[in-house]
Amino acid sequence: MASENWHALDLKGVYGGLQSSEGGLTSDEAGARLARDGPNKLAEKKGISPLQILAEQFKDFLILLLIGAAVISIVVGVYEQSVQEMVEASLILVIVLFIVVVGFYQQYNAEKELEALKELMTPQAVVLRDGAKKNVDAGDLVKGDIVFLESGSRIPADLRVVEAIELRCDESSLTGESTPVDKREAEVEADAPLADRACMLYMGTNVVYGRGKAVVVGTGMDTELGKIAGHLQDIKDERTPLQDRLDRLGKQIGVGVIFLCVVVFAAGLLAGDMPWLEMFMVAIALAVAAVPEGLPGVVIVALASGTRRMVKENAIIRKLPAVETLGSTTVICSDKTGTLTKNEMTVKRIWVDGKSVEVEGEGYSLKGGFKGEVGPDLKELLKAGALVCEATVDERGNITGDPTEAAIVVAAAKNGLRQEGLKAEYAQVDEVPFSSERKRKSTIHEGPEGMVAYGLGAPDVVLESCTKLLRGGMEVPLAEKEREGILDANQDYASKAYRVLGLTRRKLTRGYDHGRVEEGMTFLGLVAMIDPPREESRESVELCREAGIRVVMITGDHKLTATAIASDLGIHHEGDKVLTGPELEKTSDEQLRELVGEVSVYARVSPVHKLRIVDALQSKGNVVAMTGDGVNDAPALKKADIGVAMGITGTDVSKEASDMVLTDDNFSSIVKAVEEGRGIYDNIRKFFAYLISGNIGEVAVVFLSSVIPGVPIALTASQILIINLVTDGLPALALGVDPFEPGAMKRKPRPRTEPLHHGLSPFILWYPLLMIIVTMGLFLWVWDPVRENVFEAQTTAFLSIAFFEMYQAYASRSTRYPAFRVGLFKNRWLVAAVTFSLLVLLFLLYVPVAIPLTSLSLQELTHSAALEPDMFLTVAVLSSMGFIYLELHKWWDTRGMRL
């Protein structure tokens, strides 16, 4: 018998299918089943080893290209005994080492997968074996065992209820249901969703009230929790948009570099003007010029600095590329309970004698009061609530017992009626316990006024037993008109997603008939409560709307409740569709893909449904962020492009499956993270354009000088490395932590497939063209074949490109607005980087330094020459042409626009 059908069988069928009985199993039979089925533990996914993590770092095409260039330089250096080649190779390898170490460190600390699932297992369980109660390890439970449960118990396996005495369970971590669920022995429909299976108890959930007995029907991976663990293991980690873009870019650069090197090398050999080895070194210089060595490292630094900033905004990033992916998010799928709402039931309305009174305050805080007059009728209702409820609340808002009852106790405390004082004055002497069939409970107290019974239950149920109504402190006959008014008030509250309960009382005399306590009662009023939305969630949803991000609610709660909360928050609008779990079951994947754009609320869903929803959204090209805190959210968290777990209320399972953890469980922190992600991506575009434009200029200058007869190569490999690492690399690092572009959250999300260079043609096309014209012009002007002033001509070209790059660093402060509008010198790190780069240039040109253990000077190694001051200034002035062009272009495009 499949485990998902145990809820549809009567007890005889359950025992028969399990080959068990009311007397449980013998120790021998339990041992045999344990050997056959295995322990009641979740299977663990084999983790990735540190060696595998290290190997992952070398799969980047740019890294492989850099290593290839370094190896060739080493080979040539050994062949020619060239110190210069060995130094260049060392510099490249240092860059590779930095990138690999940082990437390894980040991934190693993030890889833990499913270890936290083990913490959801109850270490001990009370079972019936050999006809007697025994404590056993939860891991030793087998199908057919009879388990005893009481308030506070953690459910150790999937169980079918045998006996239930006021048994209620908190299943919010599994189903999303915000209120405890009544459990009883009664078969339900075979197709009933998980949250509606009243006769089932699931591993990892908790008993919050009552006691009971149940038979084990599923253990280990055969439980609902086990199925979730299985889904987690089956889900592959999704590549982020940034990873896809950088991977494509690396391959494109690699193919282009190899093709260009082959063409130049072949052309040189055919021309016969240069020895093959020298021509080969020209090709290597081209390769070094074309590869943006600093790009992978600067990307990692930008992402890592973003993670540090986000910690201050209550967001911990577990997977580095997730920082940028947040900025691409088009849809946020959010769980309701505890994420958009507080996960704290709160009494918001009280109805007494035709008047609705508003209750102030949120959650279990005792702060708050009542809008309007608090008359004797309301006081009596609050006193009744404090006495009939068994849940308790302390001064700090910590509760024990049923959250619904705790909400009523808090409401009474807001009027100064403290439960502990009332129960001391009105001692409880008897009770008529709650049951899911009766939908009510009553407690009998003895106080100053004598014996009094107070009742709590479903309004329509308790109203049937009432013959009087409390009005002005007096008990008056309950007429049909008043009865209809109460039912109308109940319906009105329910339509607004409130959970409504009725309170009653009856004065008794000693010797009362226990079986007739709940007859002829006086109706006191209604209490309407709700798990309230977080105030900041409304603002966050609106900010998401402005940023072009859809927010979709996915919850295990009821359709009416979910829709009301979603409408209140601005998630659900007129014309939007609401889909339930049973409806999803009847919807094909193809139909769901067509519907996802119209559905704003999914109610009564299971973990498998969440996976389908995320998958359908992704199939439409969406970048999906999924928020959640429960076990039920873990598969979707891992499947989503960005999994966002709650740090306070979140289970360890959800945290380990996520990319990001919110330490304050605040939905608004997600919006801050999205803004951070967009800002980081803008910065990545800044330094990408900055680095690539320089590389394009360097490649073109080297290529043109190699094909012009009678002139030397304009740049050496060592000069290119100095430009790429110092005058390019340091300012690029500073741009990686640049203050963000204004208006990031006013723009629509960028398409997932949008290339990094989209909209950057002024930076990566026209700017390099100006760089090439000016640099080649200066190089050819200075070059004198008679004097063979190779070092002077190469230094002029080297200095021209370096100045072009330093000017562009300031122009890159914004790719949209003129740098003067966003603050030319606002980034102090950029000012420091450019200043340091300029000092390095001056040092290379004008400070003679001998290299230890060699006969070379630093100037000889780098082919640098001390230029005359007027030539230095000429290069500095002419190189500003690119900066002037970019600033004029941005000014023209944004004229009249506000920041």
Side-chain angles (χ1 to χ4, degrees):
M1 177 66 68
S3 62
E4 55 265 27
N5 290 326
W6 295 116
H7 58 275
L9 300 177
D10 59 17
L11 282 180
K12 184 178 179 181
V14 172
Y15 286 133
L18 294 168
Q19 295 182 326
S20 183
S21 67
E22 293 182 2
L25 304 174
T26 64
S27 296
D28 290 341
E29 177 60 24
R33 294 189 182 195
L34 185 64
R36 181 191 68 196
D37 299 333
N40 179 33
K41 295 181 179 179
L42 300 175
E44 297 182 35
K45 181 180 178 180
K46 186 179 179 181
I48 184 171
S49 70
L51 192 61
Q52 289 173 309
I53 295 174
L54 185 63
E56 285 286 325
Q57 311 310 310
F58 291 95
K59 291 183 178 181
D60 188 292
F61 198 84
L62 281 178
I63 298 295
L64 296 176
L65 203 60
L66 287 173
I67 293 173
V71 169
I72 292 172
S73 292
I74 291 171
V75 171
V76 173
V78 172
Y79 180 78
E80 286 200 319
Q81 296 185 337
S82 170
V83 174
Q84 181 174 339
E85 298 302 327
M86 299 302 288
V87 170
E88 290 170 357
S90 300
L91 288 172
I92 295 172
L93 291 176
V94 167
I95 297 167
V96 171
L97 183 64
F98 169 77
I99 296 167
V100 168
V101 168
V102 173
F104 173 84
Y105 176 78
Q106 291 289 342
Q107 190 173 351
Y108 181 77
N109 284 309
E111 285 292 340
K112 290 183 180 178
E113 294 298 330
L114 299 173
E115 292 178 9
L117 281 170
K118 295 184 293 184
E119 296 183 15
L120 291 176
M121 299 286 287
T122 306
Q124 292 285 312
V126 181
V127 301
L128 185 64
R129 288 205 183 153
D130 300 318
K133 287 185 179 181
K134 293 183 179 180
N135 285 317
V136 301
D137 289 339
D140 293 337
L141 287 177
V142 296
K143 294 178 183 178
D145 263 328
I146 302 295
V147 179
F148 294 91
L149 303 164
E150 59 184 20
S151 181
S153 296
R154 182 71 65 89
I155 306 300
D158 280 5
L159 313 174
R160 170 64 158 80
V161 175
V162 175
E163 291 179 7
I165 302 172
E166 298 189 64
L167 187 63
R168 280 175 247 171
C169 287
D170 176 7
E171 295 183 342
S172 61
S173 67
L174 185 66
T175 66
E177 178 72 61
S178 58
T179 57
V181 182
D182 296 324
K183 296 297 181 178
R184 62 185 184 278
E185 192 295 291
E187 62 264 32
V188 296
E189 295 295 327
D191 60 352
L194 202 71
D196 293 339
R197 298 175 188 175
C199 60
M200 295 295 295
L201 306 169
Y202 296 105
M203 177 191 280
T205 60
N206 301 286
V207 177
V208 297
Y209 193 79
R211 61 185 186 275
K213 188 167 67 172
V215 59
V216 177
V217 296
T219 60
M221 296 300 289
D222 193 33
T223 62
E224 291 298 326
L225 188 59
K227 292 174 187 176
I228 294 173
H231 284 306
L232 283 175
Q233 293 182 15
D234 293 339
I235 298 169
K236 296 180 179 179
D237 290 325
E238 299 288 328
R239 289 180 60 82
T240 69
L242 179 63
Q243 287 174 321
D244 290 337
R245 292 184 183 106
L246 290 178
D247 192 49
R248 284 196 302 270
L249 176 66
K251 290 176 181 176
Q252 290 166 357
I253 291 175
V255 171
V257 165
I258 293 170
F259 176 77
L260 187 61
C261 290
V262 170
V263 169
V264 169
F265 183 64
L269 289 179
L270 292 173
D273 294 335
M274 196 179 297
W276 75 269
L277 187 58
E278 191 173 340
M279 200 64 228
F280 183 73
M281 290 313 301
V282 171
I284 292 300
L286 270 175
V288 174
V291 176
E293 292 92 345
L295 184 59
V298 177
V299 168
I300 284 181
V301 169
L303 295 176
S305 64
T307 65
R308 289 193 296 272
R309 287 193 300 271
M310 291 172 77
V311 167
K312 297 177 183 178
E313 298 293 345
N314 303 305
I316 297 174
I317 299 296
R318 298 185 63 248
K319 299 171 185 176
L320 207 56
V323 179
E324 180 275 332
T325 310
L326 275 164
S328 306
T329 302
T330 58
V331 180
I332 298 176
C333 297
S334 177
D335 186 47
K336 178 184 74 69
T337 305
T339 307
L340 291 164
T341 66
K342 297 172 69 69
N343 198 20
E344 295 180 353
M345 293 300 290
T346 307
V347 174
K348 300 299 290 182
R349 294 283 191 279
I350 296 177
W351 184 96
V352 285
D353 189 25
K355 296 182 288 291
S356 183
V357 180
E358 183 178 347
V359 185
E360 298 173 321
E362 299 288 344
Y364 301 127
S365 170
L366 303 186
K367 296 179 181 178
F370 299 82
K371 284 190 176 181
E373 182 184 355
V374 179
D377 296 348
L378 180 55
K379 280 184 174 292
E380 182 64 15
L381 177 141
L382 294 172
K383 182 176 82 172
L387 288 169
V388 76
C389 292
E390 296 184 36
T392 61
V393 184
D394 65 21
E395 295 287 347
R396 292 178 294 180
N398 299 314
I399 74 165
T400 56
D402 189 307
T404 299
E405 292 192 0
I408 298 173
V409 173
V410 169
K414 288 176 181 178
N415 189 238
L417 297 172
R418 302 305 297 267
Q419 184 188 48
E420 56 271 24
L422 287 171
K423 290 205 170 187
E425 186 178 2
Y426 294 86
Q428 182 175 328
V429 294
D430 198 359
E431 69 174 325
V432 183
F434 176 90
S435 73
S436 54
E437 288 81 14
R438 291 178 356 94
K439 296 182 180 180
R440 67 184 302 171
K441 64 180 291 188
S442 297
T443 55
I444 295 92
H445 301 261
E446 185 170 4
E449 297 91 4
M451 306 285 288
V452 184
Y454 292 108
L456 175 71
D460 55 335
V461 173
V462 298
L463 186 61
E464 286 182 4
S465 63
C466 291
T467 57
K468 299 173 185 175
L469 173 69
L470 190 66
R471 175 176 293 163
M474 304 292 291
E475 294 182 354
V476 299
L478 180 60
E480 189 61 32
K481 182 179 179 181
E482 282 86 2
R483 194 179 294 273
E484 290 177 0
I486 294 169
L487 292 174
D488 288 344
N490 175 44
Q491 182 60 36
D492 180 56
Y493 285 147
S495 67
K496 296 173 182 174
Y498 287 109
R499 184 178 187 191
V500 191
L501 293 173
L503 284 154
T504 61
R505 82 172 185 193
R506 180 186 173 190
K507 295 178 179 179
L508 302 173
T509 58
R510 293 187 180 278
Y512 62 87
D513 184 348
H514 180 87
R516 304 183 68 180
V517 163
E518 295 173 333
E519 295 178 4
M521 300 195 84
T522 299
F523 191 80
L524 301 179
L526 302 170
V527 288
M529 62 194 76
I530 198 169
D531 178 13
R534 295 176 181 269
E535 284 300 320
E536 57 271 27
S537 292
R538 294 184 179 89
E539 181 181 350
S540 299
V541 170
E542 175 59 23
L543 286 174
C544 286
R545 188 193 63 78
E546 292 179 2
I549 301 169
R550 282 184 65 216
V551 180
V552 176
M553 179 185 289
I554 305 179
T555 178
D557 224 332
H558 291 278
K559 179 178 180 178
L560 186 64
T561 303
T563 305
I565 295 292
S567 299
D568 186 23
L569 290 171
I571 294 173
H572 181 74
H573 302 91
E574 187 176 351
D576 289 351
K577 292 183 178 179
V578 179
L579 215 55
T580 64
E583 289 169 341
L584 269 171
E585 291 285 356
K586 300 172 184 176
T587 305
S588 68
D589 289 341
E590 185 176 344
Q591 290 172 321
L592 183 58
R593 283 192 288 270
E594 296 302 316
L595 281 172
V596 285
E598 304 171 30
V599 180
S600 60
V601 177
Y602 297 87
R604 305 305 278 172
V605 297
S606 70
V608 175
H609 296 146
K610 294 188 177 188
L611 274 175
R612 288 185 62 202
I613 294 164
V614 172
D615 189 58
L617 285 165
Q618 289 175 330
S619 72
K620 304 296 285 186
N622 288 293
V623 177
V624 182
M626 166 71 190
T627 72
D629 58 0
V631 176
N632 60 327
D633 298 320
L637 285 173
K638 190 165 185 180
K639 172 65 177 171
D641 298 283
I642 290 289
V644 186
M646 303 297 115
I648 299 173
T649 60
T651 60
D652 288 334
V653 182
S654 64
K655 293 173 190 174
E656 293 301 326
S658 69
D659 301 290
M660 182 174 82
V661 178
L662 301 182
T663 58
D664 62 350
D665 286 16
N666 197 326
F667 186 80
S668 64
S669 296
I670 300 169
V671 180
K672 295 176 185 175
V674 169
E675 185 173 10
E676 183 77 27
R678 290 189 175 190
I680 287 171
Y681 184 74
D682 283 345
N683 284 354
I684 290 174
R685 278 168 49 87
K686 290 177 189 178
F687 63 68
F688 163 76
Y690 173 68
L691 291 173
I692 292 298
S693 66
N695 283 79
I696 292 172
E698 293 162 19
V699 169
V701 167
V702 171
F703 176 74
L704 290 173
S705 61
S706 69
V707 297
I708 297 175
V711 301
I713 299 299
L715 295 169
T716 66
S718 58
Q719 287 175 331
I720 292 167
L721 276 173
I722 290 169
I723 291 173
N724 287 358
L725 295 178
V726 181
T727 60
D728 274 8
L730 294 178
L733 284 170
L735 287 172
V737 294
D738 202 41
F740 295 153
E741 295 259 20
M745 293 300 285
K746 301 295 183 182
R747 303 195 298 264
K748 300 300 180 185
R750 61 188 177 275
R752 186 185 186 108
T753 55
E754 180 183 283
L756 272 170
H757 58 74
H758 179 75
L760 294 176
S761 57
F763 287 84
I764 63 178
L765 182 60
W766 305 119
Y767 192 90
L769 182 60
L770 284 170
M771 184 191 302
I772 294 161
I773 293 170
V774 172
T775 300
M776 285 303 296
L778 287 168
F779 172 73
L780 294 173
W781 179 42
V782 171
W783 164 245
D784 186 349
V786 177
R787 292 191 296 135
E788 292 188 347
N789 57 341
V790 177
F791 280 19
E792 185 182 0
Q794 288 177 334
T795 300
T796 303
F798 166 66
L799 192 63
S800 174
I801 290 180
F803 267 117
F804 260 98
E805 290 298 279
M806 288 188 288
Y807 284 127
Q808 189 186 357
Y810 282 108
S812 297
R813 284 248 31 248
S814 173
T815 59
R816 294 176 172 84
Y817 301 98
F820 295 98
R821 290 189 68 186
V822 297
L824 189 62
F825 303 109
K826 192 174 181 180
N827 184 345
R828 67 181 188 276
W829 297 109
L830 183 60
V831 174
V834 172
T835 302
F836 180 79
S837 299
L838 182 59
L839 291 174
V840 169
L841 291 176
L842 293 171
F843 180 82
L844 287 173
L845 270 60
Y846 300 109
V847 180
V849 177
I851 298 177
L853 304 177
T854 72
S855 59
L856 295 173
S857 68
L858 182 62
Q859 284 73 18
E860 289 173 320
L861 180 65
T862 59
H863 287 216
S864 301
L867 300 180
E868 294 296 328
D870 59 339
M871 190 63 206
F872 188 94
L873 289 173
T874 299
V875 174
V877 170
L878 290 176
S879 299
S880 66
M881 290 175 59
F883 174 82
I884 294 169
Y885 157 71
L886 284 179
E887 292 304 294
L888 287 173
H889 177 84
K890 291 187 289 183
W891 170 80
W892 181 260
D893 279 356
T894 60
R895 64 191 186 284
M897 290 176 57
R898 293 184 178 181
L899 290 180

